[in-house]
Every structure is written in C-alpha cells, then in structure tokens.
Amino acid sequence: MTLQLDDLRVRRLGECRYDSPLSEMLTTKQTSPHYVAEGDRVLLEDTVSMLAGHDLPPEQVPSFEAAGPRRKVYFDPSSVTAGILTCGGLCPGLNNVIRGLVQELAVHYKVKRIVGFRNGLRGLTAEYRDDTVELTPEHVRDIHNAGGTILGSSRGNQDPDEMVDSLVEHGIDVLFVIGGDGGMRAATCLSKAIEARGLDIAVLGVPKTIDNDLPFTDQSFGFQSAFASAMDFISSVSVEAAASPNGVGLVKLMGRHSGFIAAYAALAANGADIVLIPEIPFALDGPDGLLAYVEHHVREKGFVVIVLAEGAGQDLLDEPGLPGRDGLGTDASGNVKLGRIDDLLKQRITDHLTAVGLAPTMRYIDPSYSIRSVVANAYDSVYCLRLAHAAAHAAMAGRTEIAVARWRRRFVHVPLSLMTSRRNRVDPDGDLWMSVLETTCQPAEFGVPRERRRTPAGFC
Ligand SMILES: Nc1ncnc2c1ncn2[C@@H]1O[C@H](COP(=O)(O)OP(=O)(O)OP(=O)(O)O)[C@@H](O)[C@H]1O
Ligand SMILES: O=P(O)(O)OC[C@H]1O[C@](O)(CO)[C@@H](O)[C@@H]1O
Ligand SMILES: [Mg+2]
C-alpha cells in the first residue's frame, strides 16, 4: 500500500476561534531542527531515494501534521470536560501519561473538569459509567512513582452507542483513550459513533503497548522500560546457565506478533546466543534445525542462552500430536490465545540433548508480567509527558480520530485509520534484526522448509 498525502490528513471538529493560553509563547516560533512550526509538516519518509521515488513537489509529498500547541483552539477551555481511560495490557508509563494530561489540561488550559473512567472501556458501559474518578493535579501528583494505571484496565468488547451515551451523560468534550491496537480500534469505533450522532466530541488516542507493534510511531512509550527490565532476566539466566552442566538458559518474553522486546532485550543484555521471534519461522529438526544448533553450542561453549518471544514458532504447535494453536480460542478482546511454545522447546531441547549424551540443566524464566508492571524509566517518563502534552494540545485544537505519536523524533498527529492499518513488526531484512544476528552469531534461519518461509516485509 502506497500512502498519499490525503491518507495522512487529520479530521478537525471545526474552526479554531478561541485564543490559546499558550499563544504568547508561540508568537516568534519558527521551524528549526528542534521545533516544527504550526502549519509545517513532518515527512513520512526519510531517505533521498524514497523521496525521489515520488516525483512530487515537497508540499505534495506524504507528510504528517505536526503536533504541538496552536495559537487558536477549537474549544473554549473553561467550558471543557475531558475524559481519560486506559485499556488493554499494562505498560510502563500509563500513570505518567495520565498525570501529564491532567496537569496540562488543568494548569495551562484550565479546563472545567477531568473525569477518569475506570477499567478501560468497561468504564463507559451503562453499568459502570457512574463509577468515575475526579482527576485533579493534586490527585495525580505522585502517581508516576508507581507502575500500572490508577484508572485500571480491561479487555472485552462494549457497545459503541452505549459508550457514547456515557460520554454525553458526563458532558465529555474530549476523550483520551490510552490503549494498544485494540484501544485504537475502539477509539475509531467511538469516533464514528460520535460522528454519526452529530456530536461535538474529540477522541484522541495515545498509543500504548510493550509489544511496540503499533505503526507510525518510532517506539511506543514504556517499551524501553520493559526491555530494560527484561535485560536483567536474560543476564540472570545467562549466569545460571553458564554455571550449570550443559546449561540451557531460556527466557520467554511477551510479543504476540512482534519480537521487538525479545530483540531489544537480547541486544541490551548482549549475552543471548539465540533469539526466536514471531516474524522468523524456524525448524526444530534436521541438520540446520534449532536442536542441532543448540547441541553444537552446548558442546562448544558448555551452555546456551535462548531468548524466546511468546509468539515465535506458533506453527510448530500445529504438528500432529501437539496441542495446536487453533482451538485455543481468543481472549475477551478477540486476541488469539497463543500456544505454549516455551513448553514445546523445553521438552524438545531436553529430549534432544539427553539423547546425545548432554543431559541439560534447564534454567527457565518467564518474566512477562514483571517487565510490563515496572515504573517508567527516566527516558519513558519524559516521553510520556511529552506525548500527553501533544495529546492535550491536539484535543483542544479540535483534532479528532487521531493518535499522537513520535515519528522520526518529531511529535505528529496520525489518523487512527493508519494506526490500525498494519502491525509494526521486526523486519527480517532490516538493520535491527541484522544487529541481532551480528550479536548472537546465530544463523539467519534454522532450516525452514520452503513452504513455511517468511514473506518479505514492506514499508506501509
Ligand atoms: N475492532 C474493535 N472494535 C472496537 N473495540 C475494540 C476492537 N478491538 C479491540 N477493542 C477493544 O479495545 C480494548 C483494548 O483492546 P485489547 O484488549 O486488544 O488491548 P490493546 O488496546 O490492543 O492493548 P495491548 O495490545 O497493549 O494489550 C478492549 O476493550 C477491546 O474490546
Ligand atoms: O495476559 P494478558 O493481560 O491478556 O496480556 C498478555 C498480552 O498483552 C501484551 O502484553 C500486549 O498485547 C502481549 O504481549 C501479551 O500477549
Ligand atoms: Mg493489542
């Protein structure tokens, strides 16, 4: 799919007629290497060859609307009621985003009221809509010192019209949905239902996921804190494996469809011998298969350290006699439940090494929930705060059906339709995976039959 400038256009509720409380700060601002002025745009692509490929004048090249404060805003700030909710799996930095939103909206825009809906979209159902939290700067002052989310989160589908009724009942003018791909789809659904009823409510997404699988965002917030935490578990397992006879260290990390956490944590720990991710199929058996490589490694080095993303090798579970991934069903939000590739690997590696006289000492850790419940690190704290600022500005300027994101280090507005149009995945031909191969020295593939080979990745 080739993107055109029109695909990147942002929906607005209407003309901005009110002076922004930040307008004075903006009077002399111009685009610079560190600032994108109102009206200027941020390029989608960043290589000479990609730009040349368009053969278009600069103003027609695909580009995003820059985020940031506007001199004029759409809503009269003093009459605005804002709503905030967090949905999906936990992620470091959720509280930081909530805090940033509340502070920006209350202190600078002096909005009338900020309502927190509890437990994700469930908080917008008729049953739970009155169980809200009044969010004030005092209330959120210290929340960034804790992981999780003070608002709670949930999975599960809700009726869009029922949710719009809740927004109307609370007099919400702008709603911030802090969520992953599902949350962004839900926000889209809500926007459409709001538009169908002719209501003047802005819906803004703040993309969140430790899987880093949302597109058009350099890295999602909390991802860095999560993989930094995962790094410690890889280091622990490496120490254990190295000190054990025929040690096999195995760390299973989250990553349903995208192996970013596994790849980054392995690079950060710089001690993994094998990284297995959903994007790259692998074979267990045969001279080029994973088991032969593990055996070779244990013979040569005495131990082996494997970092495994939970979504890796799911097709191996379809083999006869194994549990199979089909039939495991979905979670409440419709996400397919994964098969236990970690169990299969533990069993097959143990059987194989035992059969060749290298009975292993298995050191296995699954730190999944530990790494996503940590407090945001310093980098993510800043990132969350700046995303929150961008989201507050966008909402007050009447932007709707968009997410705020950092793209090539600039903050931009991304239409929700794009945010949900594809999944961000590790590109097997990209430089991240090349770094993983350079660091681990593992082969590019573990003997994968032709019919299971990966398909080449493409950019948007
Ligand atoms: N297509 C959709 N339409 C409407 N709502 C959706 C859709 N997909 C997901 N949702 C809702 O969005 C909420 C969050 O979705 P989900 O549980 O998949 O987490 P997520 O936002 O993808 O976060 P993460 O991937 O980080 O766990 C859920 O309440 C879910 O029902
Ligand atoms: O157990 P839960 O809360 O459903 O979350 C698990 C999933 O959430 C994520 O962290 C984000 O979608 C996935 O990596 C993981 O599969
Ligand atoms: Mg998701």
Side-chain angles (χ1 to χ4, degrees), residues 371-400:
I371 71 162
R372 72 178 199 185
S373 53
V374 298
V375 175
N377 67 14
Y379 176 90
D380 273 328
S381 299
V382 175
Y383 184 19
C384 289
L385 188 62
R386 298 189 66 196
L387 274 175
H389 290 170
H393 297 317
M396 297 308 295
R399 295 338 190 238
T400 190

PDB file of all heavy atoms in Angstrom, residues 371-400:
ATOM      1  N   ILE A 371       7.907  -7.507  33.622  1.00  0.00           N
ATOM      2  CA  ILE A 371       8.527  -6.422  32.854  1.00  0.00           C
ATOM      3  C   ILE A 371       7.521  -5.355  32.432  1.00  0.00           C
ATOM      4  O   ILE A 371       7.903  -4.235  32.117  1.00  0.00           O
ATOM      5  CB  ILE A 371       9.298  -6.948  31.613  1.00  0.00           C
ATOM      6  CG1 ILE A 371       8.362  -7.464  30.508  1.00  0.00           C
ATOM      7  CG2 ILE A 371      10.303  -8.028  31.994  1.00  0.00           C
ATOM      8  CD1 ILE A 371       9.034  -7.575  29.167  1.00  0.00           C
ATOM      9  N   ARG A 372       6.224  -5.702  32.410  1.00  0.00           N
ATOM     10  CA  ARG A 372       5.291  -4.654  31.973  1.00  0.00           C
ATOM     11  C   ARG A 372       4.670  -3.879  33.143  1.00  0.00           C
ATOM     12  O   ARG A 372       3.930  -2.937  32.925  1.00  0.00           O
ATOM     13  CB  ARG A 372       4.234  -5.215  31.029  1.00  0.00           C
ATOM     14  CG  ARG A 372       3.189  -6.082  31.641  1.00  0.00           C
ATOM     15  CD  ARG A 372       2.169  -6.526  30.594  1.00  0.00           C
ATOM     16  NE  ARG A 372       0.967  -6.978  31.260  1.00  0.00           N
ATOM     17  CZ  ARG A 372      -0.072  -7.516  30.669  1.00  0.00           C
ATOM     18  NH1 ARG A 372      -0.059  -7.688  29.363  1.00  0.00           N
ATOM     19  NH2 ARG A 372      -1.125  -7.889  31.339  1.00  0.00           N
ATOM     20  N   SER A 373       4.973  -4.324  34.362  1.00  0.00           N
ATOM     21  CA  SER A 373       4.383  -3.626  35.515  1.00  0.00           C
ATOM     22  C   SER A 373       5.371  -2.689  36.198  1.00  0.00           C
ATOM     23  O   SER A 373       5.057  -2.100  37.227  1.00  0.00           O
ATOM     24  CB  SER A 373       3.864  -4.663  36.515  1.00  0.00           C
ATOM     25  OG  SER A 373       4.897  -5.566  36.831  1.00  0.00           O
ATOM     26  N   VAL A 374       6.567  -2.547  35.617  1.00  0.00           N
ATOM     27  CA  VAL A 374       7.565  -1.693  36.268  1.00  0.00           C
ATOM     28  C   VAL A 374       7.215  -0.211  36.107  1.00  0.00           C
ATOM     29  O   VAL A 374       6.419   0.167  35.241  1.00  0.00           O
ATOM     30  CB  VAL A 374       8.994  -1.946  35.704  1.00  0.00           C
ATOM     31  CG1 VAL A 374       9.444  -3.371  35.969  1.00  0.00           C
ATOM     32  CG2 VAL A 374       9.067  -1.622  34.211  1.00  0.00           C
ATOM     33  N   VAL A 375       7.859   0.598  36.941  1.00  0.00           N
ATOM     34  CA  VAL A 375       7.719   2.060  36.831  1.00  0.00           C
ATOM     35  C   VAL A 375       8.482   2.502  35.577  1.00  0.00           C
ATOM     36  O   VAL A 375       9.516   1.922  35.240  1.00  0.00           O
ATOM     37  CB  VAL A 375       8.334   2.720  38.093  1.00  0.00           C
ATOM     38  CG1 VAL A 375       8.322   4.235  37.977  1.00  0.00           C
ATOM     39  CG2 VAL A 375       7.596   2.261  39.331  1.00  0.00           C
ATOM     40  N   ALA A 376       7.972   3.507  34.887  1.00  0.00           N
ATOM     41  CA  ALA A 376       8.663   4.006  33.685  1.00  0.00           C
ATOM     42  C   ALA A 376      10.051   4.526  34.054  1.00  0.00           C
ATOM     43  O   ALA A 376      10.212   5.191  35.081  1.00  0.00           O
ATOM     44  CB  ALA A 376       7.840   5.121  33.056  1.00  0.00           C
ATOM     45  N   ASN A 377      11.025   4.230  33.205  1.00  0.00           N
ATOM     46  CA  ASN A 377      12.365   4.772  33.464  1.00  0.00           C
ATOM     47  C   ASN A 377      12.398   6.261  33.080  1.00  0.00           C
ATOM     48  O   ASN A 377      11.393   6.811  32.606  1.00  0.00           O
ATOM     49  CB  ASN A 377      13.440   3.948  32.746  1.00  0.00           C
ATOM     50  CG  ASN A 377      13.364   4.069  31.219  1.00  0.00           C
ATOM     51  OD1 ASN A 377      12.697   4.941  30.683  1.00  0.00           O
ATOM     52  ND2 ASN A 377      14.061   3.189  30.523  1.00  0.00           N
ATOM     53  N   ALA A 378      13.563   6.872  33.284  1.00  0.00           N
ATOM     54  CA  ALA A 378      13.649   8.329  33.083  1.00  0.00           C
ATOM     55  C   ALA A 378      13.295   8.703  31.643  1.00  0.00           C
ATOM     56  O   ALA A 378      12.551   9.663  31.388  1.00  0.00           O
ATOM     57  CB  ALA A 378      15.052   8.807  33.436  1.00  0.00           C
ATOM     58  N   TYR A 379      13.803   7.932  30.690  1.00  0.00           N
ATOM     59  CA  TYR A 379      13.541   8.245  29.280  1.00  0.00           C
ATOM     60  C   TYR A 379      12.040   8.161  28.986  1.00  0.00           C
ATOM     61  O   TYR A 379      11.451   9.079  28.391  1.00  0.00           O
ATOM     62  CB  TYR A 379      14.316   7.279  28.374  1.00  0.00           C
ATOM     63  CG  TYR A 379      14.013   7.495  26.914  1.00  0.00           C
ATOM     64  CD1 TYR A 379      14.762   8.389  26.153  1.00  0.00           C
ATOM     65  CD2 TYR A 379      12.954   6.833  26.296  1.00  0.00           C
ATOM     66  CE1 TYR A 379      14.460   8.620  24.820  1.00  0.00           C
ATOM     67  CE2 TYR A 379      12.642   7.060  24.968  1.00  0.00           C
ATOM     68  CZ  TYR A 379      13.397   7.945  24.236  1.00  0.00           C
ATOM     69  OH  TYR A 379      13.085   8.169  22.923  1.00  0.00           O
ATOM     70  N   ASP A 380      11.417   7.059  29.418  1.00  0.00           N
ATOM     71  CA  ASP A 380       9.989   6.902  29.151  1.00  0.00           C
ATOM     72  C   ASP A 380       9.155   7.951  29.889  1.00  0.00           C
ATOM     73  O   ASP A 380       8.097   8.362  29.404  1.00  0.00           O
ATOM     74  CB  ASP A 380       9.521   5.485  29.535  1.00  0.00           C
ATOM     75  CG  ASP A 380       9.713   4.496  28.386  1.00  0.00           C
ATOM     76  OD1 ASP A 380       9.604   4.911  27.224  1.00  0.00           O
ATOM     77  OD2 ASP A 380       9.980   3.309  28.660  1.00  0.00           O
ATOM     78  N   SER A 381       9.620   8.349  31.072  1.00  0.00           N
ATOM     79  CA  SER A 381       8.871   9.368  31.817  1.00  0.00           C
ATOM     80  C   SER A 381       8.780  10.663  31.016  1.00  0.00           C
ATOM     81  O   SER A 381       7.716  11.286  30.921  1.00  0.00           O
ATOM     82  CB  SER A 381       9.549   9.670  33.165  1.00  0.00           C
ATOM     83  OG  SER A 381       9.591   8.512  33.933  1.00  0.00           O
ATOM     84  N   VAL A 382       9.898  11.040  30.428  1.00  0.00           N
ATOM     85  CA  VAL A 382       9.909  12.270  29.617  1.00  0.00           C
ATOM     86  C   VAL A 382       9.026  12.075  28.384  1.00  0.00           C
ATOM     87  O   VAL A 382       8.212  12.936  28.021  1.00  0.00           O
ATOM     88  CB  VAL A 382      11.358  12.613  29.176  1.00  0.00           C
ATOM     89  CG1 VAL A 382      11.367  13.811  28.236  1.00  0.00           C
ATOM     90  CG2 VAL A 382      12.228  12.875  30.389  1.00  0.00           C
ATOM     91  N   TYR A 383       9.184  10.922  27.773  1.00  0.00           N
ATOM     92  CA  TYR A 383       8.434  10.616  26.546  1.00  0.00           C
ATOM     93  C   TYR A 383       6.921  10.659  26.820  1.00  0.00           C
ATOM     94  O   TYR A 383       6.144  11.270  26.063  1.00  0.00           O
ATOM     95  CB  TYR A 383       8.897   9.244  26.066  1.00  0.00           C
ATOM     96  CG  TYR A 383       8.327   8.755  24.755  1.00  0.00           C
ATOM     97  CD1 TYR A 383       7.759   9.617  23.824  1.00  0.00           C
ATOM     98  CD2 TYR A 383       8.398   7.403  24.440  1.00  0.00           C
ATOM     99  CE1 TYR A 383       7.250   9.136  22.622  1.00  0.00           C
ATOM    100  CE2 TYR A 383       7.901   6.910  23.239  1.00  0.00           C
ATOM    101  CZ  TYR A 383       7.324   7.778  22.337  1.00  0.00           C
ATOM    102  OH  TYR A 383       6.827   7.295  21.158  1.00  0.00           O
ATOM    103  N   CYS A 384       6.500  10.031  27.924  1.00  0.00           N
ATOM    104  CA  CYS A 384       5.070  10.002  28.267  1.00  0.00           C
ATOM    105  C   CYS A 384       4.537  11.408  28.488  1.00  0.00           C
ATOM    106  O   CYS A 384       3.427  11.750  28.055  1.00  0.00           O
ATOM    107  CB  CYS A 384       4.852   9.201  29.559  1.00  0.00           C
ATOM    108  SG  CYS A 384       5.117   7.451  29.353  1.00  0.00           S
ATOM    109  N   LEU A 385       5.327  12.209  29.183  1.00  0.00           N
ATOM    110  CA  LEU A 385       4.904  13.573  29.484  1.00  0.00           C
ATOM    111  C   LEU A 385       4.716  14.365  28.188  1.00  0.00           C
ATOM    112  O   LEU A 385       3.713  15.069  27.990  1.00  0.00           O
ATOM    113  CB  LEU A 385       5.968  14.233  30.374  1.00  0.00           C
ATOM    114  CG  LEU A 385       5.630  15.581  30.957  1.00  0.00           C
ATOM    115  CD1 LEU A 385       4.416  15.493  31.862  1.00  0.00           C
ATOM    116  CD2 LEU A 385       6.831  16.120  31.759  1.00  0.00           C
ATOM    117  N   ARG A 386       5.652  14.187  27.271  1.00  0.00           N
ATOM    118  CA  ARG A 386       5.591  14.958  26.022  1.00  0.00           C
ATOM    119  C   ARG A 386       4.449  14.466  25.126  1.00  0.00           C
ATOM    120  O   ARG A 386       3.808  15.259  24.438  1.00  0.00           O
ATOM    121  CB  ARG A 386       6.949  14.914  25.321  1.00  0.00           C
ATOM    122  CG  ARG A 386       8.033  15.559  26.193  1.00  0.00           C
ATOM    123  CD  ARG A 386       9.315  15.716  25.459  1.00  0.00           C
ATOM    124  NE  ARG A 386       9.195  16.674  24.363  1.00  0.00           N
ATOM    125  CZ  ARG A 386      10.086  16.769  23.383  1.00  0.00           C
ATOM    126  NH1 ARG A 386      11.148  15.990  23.371  1.00  0.00           N
ATOM    127  NH2 ARG A 386       9.912  17.649  22.423  1.00  0.00           N
ATOM    128  N   LEU A 387       4.192  13.161  25.162  1.00  0.00           N
ATOM    129  CA  LEU A 387       3.037  12.645  24.414  1.00  0.00           C
ATOM    130  C   LEU A 387       1.742  13.215  24.990  1.00  0.00           C
ATOM    131  O   LEU A 387       0.821  13.572  24.250  1.00  0.00           O
ATOM    132  CB  LEU A 387       2.979  11.118  24.517  1.00  0.00           C
ATOM    133  CG  LEU A 387       3.785  10.301  23.518  1.00  0.00           C
ATOM    134  CD1 LEU A 387       3.703   8.825  23.870  1.00  0.00           C
ATOM    135  CD2 LEU A 387       3.277  10.523  22.086  1.00  0.00           C
ATOM    136  N   ALA A 388       1.694  13.271  26.312  1.00  0.00           N
ATOM    137  CA  ALA A 388       0.496  13.810  26.973  1.00  0.00           C
ATOM    138  C   ALA A 388       0.292  15.276  26.582  1.00  0.00           C
ATOM    139  O   ALA A 388      -0.832  15.711  26.287  1.00  0.00           O
ATOM    140  CB  ALA A 388       0.628  13.668  28.485  1.00  0.00           C
ATOM    141  N   HIS A 389       1.379  16.035  26.575  1.00  0.00           N
ATOM    142  CA  HIS A 389       1.270  17.448  26.165  1.00  0.00           C
ATOM    143  C   HIS A 389       0.716  17.535  24.743  1.00  0.00           C
ATOM    144  O   HIS A 389      -0.205  18.303  24.452  1.00  0.00           O
ATOM    145  CB  HIS A 389       2.642  18.135  26.198  1.00  0.00           C
ATOM    146  CG  HIS A 389       3.171  18.340  27.584  1.00  0.00           C
ATOM    147  ND1 HIS A 389       4.453  18.753  27.834  1.00  0.00           N
ATOM    148  CD2 HIS A 389       2.600  18.163  28.794  1.00  0.00           C
ATOM    149  CE1 HIS A 389       4.644  18.842  29.145  1.00  0.00           C
ATOM    150  NE2 HIS A 389       3.536  18.496  29.747  1.00  0.00           N
ATOM    151  N   ALA A 390       1.289  16.706  23.847  1.00  0.00           N
ATOM    152  CA  ALA A 390       0.862  16.735  22.440  1.00  0.00           C
ATOM    153  C   ALA A 390      -0.623  16.371  22.330  1.00  0.00           C
ATOM    154  O   ALA A 390      -1.367  16.985  21.552  1.00  0.00           O
ATOM    155  CB  ALA A 390       1.712  15.772  21.619  1.00  0.00           C
ATOM    156  N   ALA A 391      -1.056  15.383  23.112  1.00  0.00           N
ATOM    157  CA  ALA A 391      -2.455  14.938  23.043  1.00  0.00           C
ATOM    158  C   ALA A 391      -3.386  16.035  23.550  1.00  0.00           C
ATOM    159  O   ALA A 391      -4.450  16.290  22.966  1.00  0.00           O
ATOM    160  CB  ALA A 391      -2.640  13.664  23.853  1.00  0.00           C
ATOM    161  N   ALA A 392      -2.990  16.701  24.626  1.00  0.00           N
ATOM    162  CA  ALA A 392      -3.829  17.779  25.177  1.00  0.00           C
ATOM    163  C   ALA A 392      -3.960  18.915  24.159  1.00  0.00           C
ATOM    164  O   ALA A 392      -5.068  19.429  23.909  1.00  0.00           O
ATOM    165  CB  ALA A 392      -3.223  18.295  26.479  1.00  0.00           C
ATOM    166  N   HIS A 393      -2.845  19.292  23.531  1.00  0.00           N
ATOM    167  CA  HIS A 393      -2.901  20.375  22.530  1.00  0.00           C
ATOM    168  C   HIS A 393      -3.796  19.994  21.353  1.00  0.00           C
ATOM    169  O   HIS A 393      -4.589  20.810  20.863  1.00  0.00           O
ATOM    170  CB  HIS A 393      -1.495  20.692  21.999  1.00  0.00           C
ATOM    171  CG  HIS A 393      -0.552  21.203  23.042  1.00  0.00           C
ATOM    172  ND1 HIS A 393      -0.916  22.126  23.986  1.00  0.00           N
ATOM    173  CD2 HIS A 393       0.763  20.920  23.279  1.00  0.00           C
ATOM    174  CE1 HIS A 393       0.132  22.390  24.765  1.00  0.00           C
ATOM    175  NE2 HIS A 393       1.148  21.673  24.371  1.00  0.00           N
ATOM    176  N   ALA A 394      -3.627  18.745  20.889  1.00  0.00           N
ATOM    177  CA  ALA A 394      -4.415  18.295  19.727  1.00  0.00           C
ATOM    178  C   ALA A 394      -5.907  18.335  20.050  1.00  0.00           C
ATOM    179  O   ALA A 394      -6.725  18.784  19.238  1.00  0.00           O
ATOM    180  CB  ALA A 394      -3.992  16.882  19.331  1.00  0.00           C
ATOM    181  N   ALA A 395      -6.249  17.865  21.231  1.00  0.00           N
ATOM    182  CA  ALA A 395      -7.665  17.826  21.625  1.00  0.00           C
ATOM    183  C   ALA A 395      -8.242  19.226  21.699  1.00  0.00           C
ATOM    184  O   ALA A 395      -9.326  19.502  21.165  1.00  0.00           O
ATOM    185  CB  ALA A 395      -7.795  17.126  22.977  1.00  0.00           C
ATOM    186  N   MET A 396      -7.517  20.141  22.345  1.00  0.00           N
ATOM    187  CA  MET A 396      -8.034  21.494  22.494  1.00  0.00           C
ATOM    188  C   MET A 396      -8.168  22.190  21.140  1.00  0.00           C
ATOM    189  O   MET A 396      -9.022  23.057  20.955  1.00  0.00           O
ATOM    190  CB  MET A 396      -7.131  22.322  23.427  1.00  0.00           C
ATOM    191  CG  MET A 396      -7.063  21.793  24.841  1.00  0.00           C
ATOM    192  SD  MET A 396      -8.669  21.522  25.604  1.00  0.00           S
ATOM    193  CE  MET A 396      -9.284  23.180  25.695  1.00  0.00           C
ATOM    194  N   ALA A 397      -7.329  21.778  20.178  1.00  0.00           N
ATOM    195  CA  ALA A 397      -7.401  22.368  18.835  1.00  0.00           C
ATOM    196  C   ALA A 397      -8.451  21.666  17.970  1.00  0.00           C
ATOM    197  O   ALA A 397      -8.508  21.882  16.752  1.00  0.00           O
ATOM    198  CB  ALA A 397      -6.035  22.318  18.171  1.00  0.00           C
ATOM    199  N   GLY A 398      -9.240  20.788  18.582  1.00  0.00           N
ATOM    200  CA  GLY A 398     -10.363  20.170  17.870  1.00  0.00           C
ATOM    201  C   GLY A 398      -9.980  19.058  16.920  1.00  0.00           C
ATOM    202  O   GLY A 398     -10.768  18.654  16.075  1.00  0.00           O
ATOM    203  N   ARG A 399      -8.739  18.527  17.053  1.00  0.00           N
ATOM    204  CA  ARG A 399      -8.385  17.363  16.238  1.00  0.00           C
ATOM    205  C   ARG A 399      -9.117  16.159  16.817  1.00  0.00           C
ATOM    206  O   ARG A 399      -9.264  16.040  18.037  1.00  0.00           O
ATOM    207  CB  ARG A 399      -6.889  17.088  16.260  1.00  0.00           C
ATOM    208  CG  ARG A 399      -5.945  18.125  15.646  1.00  0.00           C
ATOM    209  CD  ARG A 399      -6.529  19.039  14.657  1.00  0.00           C
ATOM    210  NE  ARG A 399      -5.507  19.827  13.967  1.00  0.00           N
ATOM    211  CZ  ARG A 399      -5.469  21.142  13.944  1.00  0.00           C
ATOM    212  NH1 ARG A 399      -6.383  21.868  14.586  1.00  0.00           N
ATOM    213  NH2 ARG A 399      -4.544  21.781  13.254  1.00  0.00           N
ATOM    214  N   THR A 400      -9.544  15.282  15.934  1.00  0.00           N
ATOM    215  CA  THR A 400     -10.239  14.087  16.415  1.00  0.00           C
ATOM    216  C   THR A 400      -9.904  12.894  15.533  1.00  0.00           C
ATOM    217  O   THR A 400      -9.406  13.052  14.414  1.00  0.00           O
ATOM    218  CB  THR A 400     -11.765  14.320  16.483  1.00  0.00           C
ATOM    219  OG1 THR A 400     -12.365  13.216  17.170  1.00  0.00           O
ATOM    220  CG2 THR A 400     -12.403  14.429  15.087  1.00  0.00           C
TER     221      THR A 400
END
